[in-house]
Amino acid sequence: MRVTYGLLRLLRRLLAHELRLLASLWRWVARRPHGVGAGRGFGYARGQAATMFGLAFVCVVETVGMSVLLRDWPLAHRIVLVLDVYTVVFLVGLYAACVTRPHVLDSETLRVRNGAHVDLRIPLSDIASARRELRTTHERADGELNLPVGAQTEVTLQLRTPVRHFTFLGRERTVHRVRLHADDPAELLRSLTRARTVPSPLPDRPA
């Protein structure tokens, strides 16, 4: 029973992820970013555009090649064609999710995201420090969340209070350090510093 429930839960998560990718395609075409609202979005997809579209092009070439090879087997041709088209849509959807779901900074939180599968809200009051740190290798460690693009991160956040993060499969982790990529890390750090150091209102004058 527990195995069946776990499998159903996994299937629901996979289906929800696929639906988010399809919605991201529409948002990308319509130029409607997700979840920015009154905050400010900071992109991180620029560094992976060439790789994603390169893979999509390879898949298109493979689709054409397989169509020629399987032209005498109609059933196999249809099955492979559906799988190849789905793969292309999936790859473009991954990129679209990264474009339409940027990191978001507002007056209270920094929303750190990575496509349709990572969405972590960090209260600004919980950030102890934010610094520029270029890293091209990321070893997995307890309490750390690494979100590289092209194997690279430039911003490191040290948290004063750990926050809860749920993995793609729903496992809960406690995170006290976050490393992320941004197309303009310097501007993200400047904006984050300003948001964290908003002056307190002046006290009322004595009567």
Side-chain angles (χ1 to χ4, degrees):
M1 188 67 178
R2 182 176 297 178
V3 174
T4 302
Y5 175 76
L7 180 59
L8 291 175
R9 185 179 180 184
L10 174 60
L11 291 176
R12 283 198 300 268
R13 287 186 173 275
L14 291 174
L15 178 59
H17 183 259
E18 300 299 300
L19 293 176
R20 287 194 294 269
L21 293 185
L22 293 176
S24 296
L25 288 171
W26 173 81
R27 287 183 173 275
W28 188 32
V29 173
R31 296 175 180 258
R32 295 187 62 179
H34 175 274
V36 176
R40 181 179 177 185
F42 293 87
Y44 53 86
R46 188 188 308 160
Q48 61 187 355
T51 300
M52 298 298 288
F53 284 108
L55 289 173
F57 176 75
V58 170
C59 290
V60 170
V61 173
E62 181 191 13
T63 300
V64 175
M66 293 302 294
S67 296
V68 174
L69 292 174
L70 298 175
R71 62 182 179 274
D72 295 329
W73 292 275
L75 180 59
H77 175 264
R78 293 190 186 96
I79 294 174
V80 173
L81 179 61
V82 170
L83 293 175
D84 285 343
V85 171
Y86 171 78
T87 301
V88 173
V89 173
F90 180 81
L91 288 172
V92 178
L94 286 177
Y95 178 73
C98 292
V99 173
T100 59
R101 295 170 178 265
H103 306 309
V104 180
L105 175 66
D106 60 29
S107 59
E108 296 181 353
T109 62
L110 174 63
R111 190 174 182 179
V112 175
R113 302 200 280 190
N114 189 1
H117 60 279
V118 175
D119 192 341
L120 177 65
R121 297 174 186 266
I122 305 175
L124 298 185
S125 58
D126 289 346
I127 300 177
S129 65
R131 65 182 184 273
R132 183 82 174 266
E133 181 185 30
L134 176 62
R135 293 178 69 98
T136 56
T137 58
H138 302 85
E139 296 181 2
R140 185 166 182 173
D142 290 338
E144 294 186 358
L145 176 62
N146 297 309
L147 302 174
V149 172
Q152 181 172 302
T153 58
E154 300 90 359
V155 177
T156 298
L157 306 175
Q158 184 66 43
L159 306 186
R160 180 180 295 108
T161 304
V163 297
R164 293 192 305 166
H165 165 62
F166 292 91
T167 67
F168 178 72
L169 297 180
R171 296 177 181 175
E172 182 177 340
R173 295 182 59 203
T174 301
V175 175
H176 60 77
R177 182 179 296 113
V178 178
R179 295 188 178 94
L180 57 94
H181 171 80
D183 293 338
D184 190 348
E187 180 58 27
L188 172 58
L189 285 172
R190 282 195 295 268
S191 299
L192 182 58
T193 299
R194 287 195 296 267
R196 293 173 59 222
T197 56
V198 175
S200 303
L202 294 176
D204 296 333
R205 294 182 179 181

